[in-house]
Amino acid sequence: MKKIFYVLLLLIGVHTARAQEVPVLDRALFFGNPEIAGGQLSPDGKWISFTKEYEGIMNIWVKKIDEPFEKARPLTNSKRPLNGYFWTEDGKYILYVKDNNGDENMNIFAVDPMAKVTKGVPESRNITPLKDVTASIYMASRKDPDLLMIGLNNRDKAWHDLYSVKISTGELKKIYENKDRITSYEFDWDEKLRVLSKTDDKGTTQFFYKEGDKLTPIYETLVTESAYISNWNEDNSKFYLVTNKGDLDKSALFLMDPKTKQMTKIESDPKDKVDFGGLFLDRNTRKMIYTSYTGDKTEYYWKDKAWEANYKFLQSKFPGREVGFASSTNDYSKFLVSVGGDKYASEAYFFDAKTKQLIFQYTPRTELKKVEKYLAAMTPISYKSSDGLEIPAYLTLPVGSSGKNVPVVVLVHGGPKGPRDYWGYNSTVQFLANRGYAVLQPNFRASGGYGKKFQNGGDLQWGKLMQDDITWGVKYLIDQGIADKNKVVIMGGSYGGYATLAGLAFTPDVYAAGVDIVGPSNLFTLLDSVPAYWESARAFLYGMVGDPKTEEGKKRMHDASPLFSVDKINKPLLIVQGANDPRVKQAEADQIVIALRDKGKKVNYILADDEGHGFRKPVNSMAMYAETEKFLAEVIGGRYQKEMPENVAKRLKEMTVDISKVTYTPAKTEKAVGASK
């Protein structure tokens, strides 16, 4: 009897252990289309728009606020995911932008959200129907909701002229012909063009105050500094300027009088740790509502008691989670509120600020919500780099892990100068953690938000100190006993893809493998092929990687290009590329694939003919991540989901490149680059 009792205890123990095991979550939970996302209230609060799948792609839908979501009507049938949308001031139109298969040549479209159709979707009109042109929206008018102020680079690919466009008719009117290297146009509350910015070929930016046809210089920053106008004050006489000019390291908020050039400091980080974050003003009273700063997480400093009370009320309803005002009516009486966190599937609620009524609207990923307990916490950490610089980072450990001797994926963000990683839910991080990997996200020098010195510290340090900031993160995890030193993979997109290649080429003993997503391999061809409309940033780019017009710059770029150190790459590599990428062109992937192939090295290559700088279509993303998790499992032994839907398997097969057939013909300007030392 005692023996049977012990067997029963053993079986119960085994069953309990299995019940507590973390299942392999379907990759579609992370990378498939959400059920509903991107909700926005109409200006009067009577309608809600959102994106939802239509013929496989996330498109815009609309419904009355008090109708069930099943009653919603589709408004668009785009074959490509949209790059954003918004309501016009009067609610007569929804405007959205999209490109052509990732080429980043954006056009602006308008659709009537109230249009009735018996079948399909109402007509969308392209109000900027120009080929190979990137339209930019500078202002959506409140005074005349049928009016937009936009930039078009149809006359000169490098520079945007200022136009007005009537949404109802598509009528274009040129307001300012840009022959002066203008990089921004600033309008005040009265929608009057008040300030223009010019950037010269050295990267120096000047602000000009516009009075009639007269332009008066009022402020100037160097290529290593930054400044931007956040908004205008209550009486429209001064503007809020965020700047880190001169002796300032952390950017601060000032109020500037454009007529006298007098500046008054308003605020900077009370903790003096990070740059000025955000300023939010009431569009009706023009008074300050809050300022914000983002270190490990974002902190808000409230200036409006009513808003602060609403925020604290919402926080009390969702303890331990982040609350955000995602959308509002014009009078701020009603809101769409987002609720989420690092290990939580997000939710959206309707909130009436007057009655405090809170009504659940949707969860973008309801199936993920059901398995939320298996999501992993993201923890802010820091460590010292090779020169003692403190590097902020985030570490995510797999659920159920001891946190000791774990395989690690170092996930490197793009940019590199300015962007950074943030605390919160991250689909790639959660996916990797679920497969059994610890994930390190280093905010290496050059990352934004930590001050001018930190950001400029990455200049001319590609493959050097910037790479050390990543390598020393790995050393830190090994020293702490967290990482299995033989099972560390480096992975990232854009600059993160470059860092992946650099990690394998310059520190070949640190990593077991790499996953390079749209990363540059050759800094010469990278700079040669940037889009024409990046001309104003050329000095900025040279400041980061080196000037190819000088011998010193050539040597620096040659030494920092992983392509020219391909002999040192001795670990497996997976390369992912979009054929229409205008930033990091297919040539960057082709060159290193050929170089590795010709030296008998192991390289896998995925190329999507309908993507650009990163994958947007869910079927492509799921195919890419299916291949990625299989690759990682083979190299460092994590778990992976073997099965995949038929359409994903088909797409993966289509995107998988036979590397024996990859060819590359250098442009004439590249001939002598490889020999440059």
Side-chain angles (χ1 to χ4, degrees), residues 313-329:
F313 169 79
L314 291 167
Q315 275 192 315
S316 72
K317 297 295 183 184
F318 305 103
R321 306 198 186 191
E322 299 283 293
V323 174
F325 295 103
S327 173
S328 73
T329 53

Side-chain angles (χ1 to χ4, degrees), residues 217-228:
I218 57 171
Y219 196 71
E220 181 177 293
T221 55
L222 302 175
V223 70
T224 51
E225 301 169 331
S226 67
Y228 66 90

Side-chain angles (χ1 to χ4, degrees), residues 79-123:
K79 305 306 177 193
R80 173 145 186 90
L82 311 179
N83 290 73
Y85 80 92
F86 63 94
W87 292 76
T88 55
E89 182 75 15
D90 55 5
K92 283 183 71 173
Y93 299 101
I94 285 178
L95 303 178
Y96 62 94
V97 293
K98 67 172 181 174
D99 66 1
N100 181 38
N101 283 335
D103 65 4
E104 297 187 15
N105 288 320
M106 301 295 173
N107 279 182
I108 305 167
F109 295 78
V111 63
D112 178 359
M114 302 306 140
K116 297 287 190 288
V117 292
T118 53
K119 187 180 178 183
V121 301
E123 178 195 8

Side-chain angles (χ1 to χ4, degrees), residues 24-90:
V24 174
L25 300 178
D26 194 308
R27 71 181 71 86
L29 297 180
F30 304 104
F31 306 115
N33 278 331
E35 292 168 43
I36 295 172
Q40 293 184 28
L41 295 178
S42 62
D44 60 8
K46 294 178 180 177
W47 300 81
I48 180 172
S49 58
F50 54 91
T51 58
K52 176 183 170 182
E53 188 176 281
Y54 185 85
E55 295 181 353
I57 298 294
M58 295 299 283
N59 273 279
I60 304 170
W61 295 60
V62 69
K63 73 174 189 72
K64 288 182 179 175
I65 193 67
D66 55 358
E67 285 182 326
F69 278 86
E70 292 74 24
K71 294 276 189 182
R73 296 178 285 110
L75 291 180
T76 62
N77 63 349
S78 174
K79 305 306 177 193
R80 173 145 186 90
L82 311 179
N83 290 73
Y85 80 92
F86 63 94
W87 292 76
T88 55
E89 182 75 15
D90 55 5

Side-chain angles (χ1 to χ4, degrees), residues 59-350:
N59 273 279
I60 304 170
W61 295 60
V62 69
K63 73 174 189 72
K64 288 182 179 175
I65 193 67
D66 55 358
E67 285 182 326
F69 278 86
E70 292 74 24
K71 294 276 189 182
R73 296 178 285 110
L75 291 180
T76 62
N77 63 349
S78 174
K79 305 306 177 193
R80 173 145 186 90
L82 311 179
N83 290 73
Y85 80 92
F86 63 94
W87 292 76
T88 55
E89 182 75 15
D90 55 5
K92 283 183 71 173
Y93 299 101
I94 285 178
L95 303 178
Y96 62 94
V97 293
K98 67 172 181 174
D99 66 1
N100 181 38
N101 283 335
D103 65 4
E104 297 187 15
N105 288 320
M106 301 295 173
N107 279 182
I108 305 167
F109 295 78
V111 63
D112 178 359
M114 302 306 140
K116 297 287 190 288
V117 292
T118 53
K119 187 180 178 183
V121 301
E123 178 195 8
S124 281
R125 289 180 298 106
N126 185 348
I127 59 174
T128 58
L130 300 164
K131 194 177 179 184
D132 299 330
V133 164
T134 300
S136 299
I137 299 175
Y138 293 114
M139 186 198 72
S141 176
R142 294 180 67 191
K143 290 185 166 187
D144 178 4
D146 195 31
L147 187 71
L148 288 180
M149 301 301 286
I150 66 171
L152 294 174
N153 60 334
N154 54 327
R155 181 187 57 82
D156 182 338
K157 294 295 181 211
W159 307 101
H160 283 73
D161 296 331
L162 180 66
Y163 285 83
S164 66
V165 59
K166 282 182 73 71
I167 300 168
S168 57
T169 64
E171 180 189 350
L172 279 169
K173 181 182 176 185
K174 188 183 287 186
I175 305 297
Y176 191 95
E177 189 166 288
N178 183 4
K179 293 183 177 178
D180 312 306
R181 298 180 63 99
I182 303 296
T183 49
S184 73
Y185 302 90
E186 303 290 343
F187 297 83
D188 65 12
W189 288 108
D190 293 332
E191 302 179 356
K192 185 179 176 185
L193 180 60
R194 296 278 296 278
V195 179
L196 295 87
S197 300
K198 295 183 185 181
T199 302
D200 68 18
D201 58 6
K202 293 183 177 62
T204 300
T205 298
Q206 275 192 311
F207 286 20
F208 289 83
Y209 180 52
K210 187 176 187 296
E211 294 178 286
D213 292 331
K214 184 183 177 186
L215 295 179
T216 306
I218 57 171
Y219 196 71
E220 181 177 293
T221 55
L222 302 175
V223 70
T224 51
E225 301 169 331
S226 67
Y228 66 90
I229 295 173
S230 180
N231 218 317
W232 292 75
N233 69 341
E234 290 177 53
D235 65 8
N236 243 350
S237 63
K238 303 177 181 72
F239 57 76
Y240 290 104
L241 182 73
V242 180
T243 181
N244 62 8
K245 180 177 177 175
D247 295 335
L248 287 174
D249 179 42
K250 313 289 193 304
S251 65
L253 179 70
F254 292 83
L255 198 57
M256 182 175 188
D257 186 326
K259 292 184 177 178
T260 66
K261 304 182 191 177
Q262 183 179 348
M263 290 174 61
T264 306
K265 184 178 177 182
I266 304 297
E267 192 178 288
S268 59
D269 179 15
K271 298 177 181 177
D272 195 32
K273 288 186 175 181
V274 295
D275 289 324
F276 182 82
L279 168 68
F280 184 50
L281 302 183
D282 185 315
R283 51 187 259 137
N284 301 313
T285 66
R286 304 178 185 176
K287 292 181 184 294
M288 238 186 246
I289 292 174
Y290 69 73
T291 54
S292 67
Y293 299 85
T294 303
D296 293 339
K297 297 181 182 179
T298 299
E299 292 186 69
Y300 298 94
Y301 292 83
W302 295 95
K303 319 297 179 184
D304 184 289
K305 296 296 182 187
W307 277 76
E308 183 177 19
N310 283 330
Y311 180 74
K312 288 183 174 177
F313 169 79
L314 291 167
Q315 275 192 315
S316 72
K317 297 295 183 184
F318 305 103
R321 306 198 186 191
E322 299 283 293
V323 174
F325 295 103
S327 173
S328 73
T329 53
N330 282 349
D331 62 0
Y332 300 122
S333 64
K334 299 175 179 66
F335 294 88
L336 204 59
V337 173
S338 61
V339 180
D342 56 345
K343 55 181 182 176
Y344 301 102
S346 64
E347 298 172 321
Y349 289 81
F350 174 85

